[in-house]
């Protein structure tokens, strides 16, 4: 059985979306390959019973940033983070040493981002050693090349250095993995590089979660899972959704995960407290089971002129036989996937109130059959990951 070395800074027991997706990607690989995973050390225990996986942890456990800090401390913290992710840090240097020690077991190395540290660790070794390097970008990077509003947080001088570093990684790597073709075209345009000749698509993975029995008692609800950030807030859309609850025979909208202060104020200003239930942050399994008993699930993307992203949440939604109500942009990857499978309703930011109301009302006509459910699950299957990666290994 062939061995692959994977470098991923985020991995369980960390619970963020990047960690979950890293684990699902590694789990898929171990169906066919042995994997040596180099990741960050964590204070919590994480037991792996996968006989095809060896986990090597290096560096200090990551510190969770507090949101309750002053303005100047936030700026200083961001500057330090950006410098570390641009020029390398103690963790990436330790990973480089560990990678050299393990190259005797494999000629194939895959680095996962974000954060960019994983690519930097492999880049430093790649300059001096000969191996087959696959870099996996879950999203375009750095933030300066992202579409607004996500590029608003980019720091001008550091951004140019980050773009140079990102181009270097993408040009030097033997192959590139991205989550969708639109991301490839977007990065090519923004960084003025060519990737098509060495790029394969690896979609986010859906977690294999045992679903509880579907609840038929209590309120009927629609649910949003994940961080509802200020970039995703479209008051017009939420007004149309609230106005449609009666027609849809839905009692409330559940928000599972963090909710930005901006939307909390919107709820208060519009007196929507009776329509929204703030569940808070819960474990992934509990969140998916809440969605399983919903009448529909919400997927909300920020308003952008380009849509190079595909939310990992979409894979989770495709894993349950529930209609998706998606607020996105014209020609986005999410829109294409949902429309092609026909397992949901797509609303775009540019629509007027009447268009939104009409489409939201059509949720009642979506029927997720067994055939439709099987097609949806196939889009994010583990076999597709293995196929895409296998084609690029030596």
């Amino acid at each position: 059985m062939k061995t692959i070395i994977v470098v991923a800074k985020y991995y369980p027991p960390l619970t963020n979306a990047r960690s979950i997706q890293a684990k699902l990607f590694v789990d898929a690989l171990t169906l066919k390959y042995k994997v040596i995973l180099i990741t960050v050390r964590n204070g919590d225990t994480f037991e792996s019973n996968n006989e095809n996986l060896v986990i090597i942890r290096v560096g200090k456990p990551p510190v969770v940033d507090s949101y309750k800090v002053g303005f100047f401390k936030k700026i200083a913290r961001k500057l330090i983070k950006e410098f570390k992710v641009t020029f390398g840090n103690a963790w990436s240097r330790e990973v480089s040493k560990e990678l050299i020690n393990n190259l005797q077991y494999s000629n194939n190395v895959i680095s996962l981002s974000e954060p960019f540290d994983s690519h930097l660790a492999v880049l430093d070794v790649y300059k001096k050693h000969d191996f087959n390097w696959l870099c996996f970008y879950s999203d375009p990077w750095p933030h300066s090349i992202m579409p607004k509003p996500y590029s608003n947080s980019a720091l001008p001088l550091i951004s140019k250095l980050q773009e140079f570093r990102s181009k270097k990684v993408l040009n030097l790597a033997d192959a590139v993995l991205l989550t969708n073709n639109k991301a490839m075209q977007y990065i090519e345009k923004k960084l003025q590089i060519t990737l098509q000749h060495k790029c394969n698509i690896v979609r986010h993975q859906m977690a294999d979660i045992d679903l509880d029995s579907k609840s038929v008692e209590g309120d009927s609800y629609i649910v949003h899972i994940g961080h509802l950030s200020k970039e995703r807030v479209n008051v017009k859309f939420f007004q149309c959704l609230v106005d449609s609850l009666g027609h849809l025979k839905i009692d409330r909208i559940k928000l599972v995960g963090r909710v930005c202060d901006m939307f909390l104020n919107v709820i208060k200003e519009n007196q929507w407290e009776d329509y929204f239930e703030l569940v808070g942050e819960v474990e992934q399994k509990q969140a998916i089971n809440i969605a399983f008993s919903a009448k529909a699930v919400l997927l909300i993307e920020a308003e952008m002129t380009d849509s190079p992203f595909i939310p990992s949440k979409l894979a989770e939604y495709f894993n349950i036989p529930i209609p998706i109500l998606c607020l996105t942009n014209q020609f986005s990857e999410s829109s294409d996937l949902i429309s092609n499978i026909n397992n949901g309703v797509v609303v775009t930011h540019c629509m007027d109130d009447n268009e939104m109301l009409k489409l939201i009302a059509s949720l009642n006509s979506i029927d997720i059959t067994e055939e439709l459910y099987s097609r949806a699950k196939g889009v994010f299957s583990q076999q597709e990951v293995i196929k895409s990666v296998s084609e690029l290994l030596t």
Side-chain angles (χ1 to χ4, degrees), residues 162-173:
Q162 289 176 338
E163 288 173 26
F164 174 79
R165 298 286 268 176
S166 190
K167 286 177 69 171
K168 189 169 186 177
V169 165
L170 291 167
N171 280 324
L172 282 179

Side-chain angles (χ1 to χ4, degrees), residues 146-265:
M146 291 183 182
K148 289 183 177 300
Y150 294 107
S151 61
N152 293 343
S153 62
L155 302 173
L157 180 58
I158 296 179
S159 293
K160 290 301 177 186
L161 295 169
Q162 289 176 338
E163 288 173 26
F164 174 79
R165 298 286 268 176
S166 190
K167 286 177 69 171
K168 189 169 186 177
V169 165
L170 291 167
N171 280 324
L172 282 179
D174 297 285
V176 176
L177 301 172
L178 293 165
T179 58
N180 65 91
N181 280 308
K182 287 184 174 67
M184 180 192 70
Q185 295 161 4
Y186 184 86
I187 292 172
E188 286 183 324
K189 179 178 70 175
K190 288 293 184 179
L191 292 180
Q192 295 295 295
I193 57 177
T194 302
L195 299 176
Q196 189 171 6
H197 66 289
K198 62 175 183 179
C199 181
N200 271 7
I201 302 304
V202 173
R203 297 199 182 279
H204 293 303
Q205 289 296 284
M206 53 176 65
D208 186 16
I209 291 175
D210 293 328
L211 296 172
D212 297 335
S213 299
K214 195 176 180 72
S215 174
V216 294
E217 299 179 356
D219 293 345
S220 172
Y221 60 87
I222 188 169
V223 63
H224 177 272
I225 295 175
H227 183 198
L228 184 56
S229 62
K230 63 181 180 181
E231 294 86 0
R232 296 183 174 97
V233 175
N234 181 321
V235 179
K236 177 175 65 175
F237 169 77
F238 279 106
Q239 180 67 67
C240 290
L241 182 56
V242 168
D243 291 343
S244 302
L245 293 180
H247 174 78
L248 296 172
K249 297 180 180 178
I250 290 175
D251 298 305
R252 65 184 65 246
I253 303 159
K254 289 190 177 186
L255 303 178
V256 179
R258 282 194 291 127
V259 179
C260 68
D261 290 339
M262 176 183 175
F263 191 64
L264 293 177
N265 290 332

Side-chain angles (χ1 to χ4, degrees), residues 28-47:
L29 292 181
T30 58
L31 294 177
K32 185 175 181 180
Y33 305 105
K34 286 189 177 293
V35 173
I36 298 172
L37 171 69
I38 306 175
T39 186
V40 73
R41 182 175 286 112
N42 195 282
D44 298 324
T45 57
F46 176 75
E47 297 288 338

Side-chain angles (χ1 to χ4, degrees), residues 3 167 170 276 316:
T3 298
K167 286 177 69 171
L170 291 167
F276 287 89
E316 295 178 348

Side-chain angles (χ1 to χ4, degrees), residues 8 10 15 42 48 55 63 75 84 95 107 122 145 149 163 171 175-176 191 195 240 260 271 285 293 311 327 363 371:
Y10 291 157
T15 57
N42 195 282
S48 174
I55 302 177
V63 178
I75 295 295
K84 284 183 176 180
V95 170
N107 188 54
V122 179
I145 71 167
E163 288 173 26
N171 280 324
V176 176
L191 292 180
L195 299 176
C240 290
C260 68
Q271 299 180 337
K285 181 179 179 179
S293 293
L327 174 65
L363 261 180
E371 179 185 359

